[in-house]
Amino acid sequence: MTDHTNGKLYLAFVLEKLKIRLREIQRSLEEGQKEIEDMHEYYWQNYTEMDQYGYEDFDNQQALLHQINANQEQLTLLHRFRRMLDSPFFGRVDFAYEDEEEAETFYIGIGNFAERPGQVPLIYDWRSPVSSLFYDYDKGPASYQAPMGEMSGEILSKWQYKIRGGKMVYEFESDVKIDDEILKAELGSNGEVQLKNIVRTIQKEQNAIIRNTRDRILVIQGAAGSGKTSVALHRIAYLLYHDRKNLNSSNVLILSPNGVFSDYISHILPELGEENIQEMSLDLFAYRQLQDTAADCEDRFDQIERELSGMETNSLYLEKQSQEFIDALEYFFLRLEDDLMNFTDVKYKGFEKSKADIIDLFYNKFADLPLLSRMEAVAETFIDEIETLKNADLPEEDRLSLLEKFNRMYETRDFYVLYNRFLAGEGYPPLPEVPLEKRCLRYEDVYPVLYLKYRLQKQQDRRRIKHLVIDEMQDYSILQYRIIQQLFSCRMTILGDRAQTIGDRPCDVMTFLPKIFGREIRRITMDKSYRNTVEIASYANRLAGITAMELFERHGKPVIEETVSNLETALEAIAKELRLGDGEYETAAILLPSESDAESAFHRITAILAAVGFDTEHHLFHLHRDSSSFQKGLEYYGAAEPPVRCGESHLSGLTEPPKLSCL
């Protein structure tokens, strides 16, 4: 009989059970695959003799689908249990229920594991109700919310474990949920190039956010390195676990800053036993939506580079993203109701829809539809009347011809032309009057045109998205949030930090978000930073003028600031100081003011490092707007391309700050 309160003995016991279960799953998969092959073979040998109504064919297809789904479920378990071989559990709670003398022992890991489906778990998923005891309480009275109600009792002991490669690294009993020394060890371990899951070190306040299922829109305002991105992703993993009947990975969308960020977080949900979810940047989405309006669109990088180079100020961009600009657009839409229209009678083979009837339908029956979608509804009404009287469907070419007649009552349906008309009326410089294939929207005009399109034309239904995650919320304008509100009516997790804005001054979106999304917003602030050492964080805070951040007490070397005469001298100094490899940093970064500067510096330091034997082919990278991954080595960024957080802590990113040379 295994002692379930001895961590090392229990580890050996669970590993053996995992291996047995894995062998069983492997056999089941092989048998299932053989069954699928037999079904295919039977079908091709007999399909010509199957009954004329297709019942046998249908039954065979259903049996095949059932077996494929069963195999997929087994494959998911196989992947999860293989991951658990490395570290089956990380925590334990001995909990005595109210009015019971003996405690029950609950081991906690990244997923549930039982010897057989339906049996009592040997390991409990970190998202299960009972696991909240580990995160929310110390020794003493405690409770958790189970499906049948609140379960109360007393925690008699709590243990923490670190297991790697199936071997116990350490185990200790703790009065406190997460011991600071253990947390320091996790934060100070060698750096990685992707975000880490934090299930072993979730703090009480983070756990409350992760398990929040009440609030429709949750806004997490967190200091740099506070773990807000990790917490948001773990919250998604929890929601997927909590509501599997109504929510799956295809129902969740992340609006992320760039492709590199997508790669940076891509492994988190699979590590936590969930499928990866969709990610996209709002700029890429806007470009795709406006391809019928302009051949190309600038992105945020273009606009920032112009500012940094002194070609222009930020004022025009801010002006065209403001509430005042939105109000002017709304007034323009009202004027279009009359200015854009030229109503006429429409005739078709003895049938006629009068101008008066069209006006009545346009301004009354279909008044709730967007302006440029109303005439299609009017046309469909006329077509339905004709088909009813003729008792026959119209030929497709006739339908299209009629629809075109109705749409010609609009003076124009070109959003580029309409936006130009608006700019002229408001006294702004107009866009170039060129054909579609030569049009390129500057960044400050991209979202006003997209807003105009969404307000004037009916959009596709996006109810499939049931949860939206918005990262770096401070970098979205009020206009962009207005567009997001029109696109998505789902639950949201919105996260960011007003002090980390790309712009030249802090942006607190909470000053306008309640006006856009209503009062269903819950705001949570995370002021404690775990990312960097006190020395690095304090230095950065002084530069940014940040005073309200609470720092986790982890110390390191002081920041060295040096001034050099030119870029060449700086690159030579960096080459001499660079220390990458075992026992050193895994990642270093050089920040440059622009993309062109970064490219030039990349070519120059490639030559410098190659001369001293550095493996520039595999460990030297130029990160730019089209990059899709973040790798170990020496990275170059143009400052107009917001770098991935290449120094975040165990709680919100990488475990060790990069060696950063300030130029």
Side-chain angles (χ1 to χ4, degrees), residues 204-364:
K204 182 175 181 178
E205 63 276 11
Q206 294 172 331
N207 193 48
I209 299 171
I210 290 168
R211 293 174 185 263
N212 182 311
T213 60
R214 301 181 306 277
D215 296 302
R216 181 175 173 274
I217 298 178
L218 187 64
V219 175
I220 306 171
Q221 287 196 315
S226 60
K228 54 188 177 294
T229 301
S230 284
V231 166
L233 291 173
H234 285 68
R235 181 178 190 232
I236 294 303
Y238 177 78
L239 293 174
L240 290 169
Y241 175 90
H242 178 80
D243 193 17
R244 292 204 185 279
K245 290 183 179 180
N246 301 306
L247 189 70
N248 60 55
S249 58
S250 66
N251 302 136
V252 183
L253 174 66
I254 295 180
L255 288 182
S256 59
N258 50 52
V260 175
F261 179 82
S262 299
D263 174 71
Y264 180 60
I265 66 172
S266 62
H267 65 298
I268 287 293
L269 287 171
E271 276 189 11
L272 299 175
E274 300 294 344
E275 294 179 32
N276 243 329
I277 56 182
Q278 308 168 74
E279 299 162 63
M280 71 171 186
S281 73
L282 193 60
D283 285 354
L284 178 59
F285 176 78
Y287 166 72
R288 289 174 176 170
Q289 293 294 299
L290 294 175
Q291 284 180 315
D292 61 349
T293 301
D296 200 5
C297 298
E298 288 186 348
D299 57 25
R300 185 76 159 117
F301 300 136
D302 295 303
Q303 191 258 335
I304 294 172
E305 282 216 337
R306 285 200 300 272
E307 289 178 37
L308 291 174
S309 64
M311 295 170 61
E312 63 183 47
T313 65
N314 198 30
S315 59
L316 187 60
Y317 168 75
L318 293 175
E319 191 173 333
K320 288 187 174 182
Q321 308 297 305
S322 68
Q323 183 61 52
E324 290 74 21
F325 199 79
I326 296 171
D327 293 341
L329 275 169
E330 290 291 340
Y331 182 61
F332 175 69
F333 300 152
L334 292 175
R335 298 201 309 272
L336 281 180
E337 290 265 344
D338 297 320
D339 296 348
L340 196 61
M341 306 312 301
N342 182 23
F343 297 104
T344 61
D345 298 336
V346 176
K347 298 177 181 180
Y348 171 79
K349 296 181 179 180
F351 297 93
E352 181 177 348
K353 180 61 73 174
S354 69
K355 174 180 175 180
D357 284 345
I358 292 172
I359 290 173
D360 180 58
L361 289 169
F362 190 87
Y363 287 114
N364 294 310

Side-chain angles (χ1 to χ4, degrees), residues 93-288:
V93 177
D94 297 331
F95 184 67
Y97 287 98
E98 210 167 57
D99 301 325
E100 292 190 14
E101 294 182 3
E102 290 191 15
E104 288 194 34
T105 297
F106 302 99
Y107 281 87
I108 299 162
I110 62 168
N112 280 318
F113 172 66
E115 288 189 66
R116 294 284 182 276
Q119 291 186 350
V120 175
L122 300 175
I123 306 293
Y124 286 83
D125 192 295
W126 66 276
R127 297 166 290 186
S128 65
V130 73
S131 296
S132 64
L133 294 171
F134 176 76
Y135 295 115
D136 289 342
Y137 294 97
D138 303 330
K139 281 185 182 180
S143 64
Y144 67 93
Q145 199 65 37
M148 69 287 294
E150 186 175 76
M151 308 299 289
S152 300
E154 182 179 0
I155 294 176
L156 302 184
S157 67
K158 287 177 57 174
W159 286 74
Q160 289 179 246
Y161 307 93
K162 183 171 183 177
I163 302 167
R164 288 293 178 267
K167 305 290 184 183
M168 184 72 73
V169 179
Y170 60 67
E171 58 179 322
F172 69 96
E173 186 175 7
S174 175
D175 287 339
V176 182
K177 177 181 62 64
I178 302 298
D179 186 88
D180 276 1
E181 294 306 313
I182 298 304
L183 187 51
K184 286 178 184 177
E186 290 296 321
L187 297 174
S189 59
N190 285 335
E192 297 179 7
V193 295
Q194 287 185 310
L195 197 66
K196 294 174 68 175
N197 82 62
I198 61 171
V199 291
R200 296 179 64 246
T201 54
I202 291 172
Q203 308 293 288
K204 182 175 181 178
E205 63 276 11
Q206 294 172 331
N207 193 48
I209 299 171
I210 290 168
R211 293 174 185 263
N212 182 311
T213 60
R214 301 181 306 277
D215 296 302
R216 181 175 173 274
I217 298 178
L218 187 64
V219 175
I220 306 171
Q221 287 196 315
S226 60
K228 54 188 177 294
T229 301
S230 284
V231 166
L233 291 173
H234 285 68
R235 181 178 190 232
I236 294 303
Y238 177 78
L239 293 174
L240 290 169
Y241 175 90
H242 178 80
D243 193 17
R244 292 204 185 279
K245 290 183 179 180
N246 301 306
L247 189 70
N248 60 55
S249 58
S250 66
N251 302 136
V252 183
L253 174 66
I254 295 180
L255 288 182
S256 59
N258 50 52
V260 175
F261 179 82
S262 299
D263 174 71
Y264 180 60
I265 66 172
S266 62
H267 65 298
I268 287 293
L269 287 171
E271 276 189 11
L272 299 175
E274 300 294 344
E275 294 179 32
N276 243 329
I277 56 182
Q278 308 168 74
E279 299 162 63
M280 71 171 186
S281 73
L282 193 60
D283 285 354
L284 178 59
F285 176 78
Y287 166 72
R288 289 174 176 170

Side-chain angles (χ1 to χ4, degrees), residues 29 32 36 61-77:
L29 280 169
I36 290 171
Q61 293 296 328
Q62 289 299 108
L64 179 62
L65 181 61
H66 175 77
Q67 187 59 56
I68 290 172
N69 289 338
N71 270 24
Q72 187 57 51
E73 290 175 7
Q74 291 290 292
L75 196 59
T76 300
L77 285 177

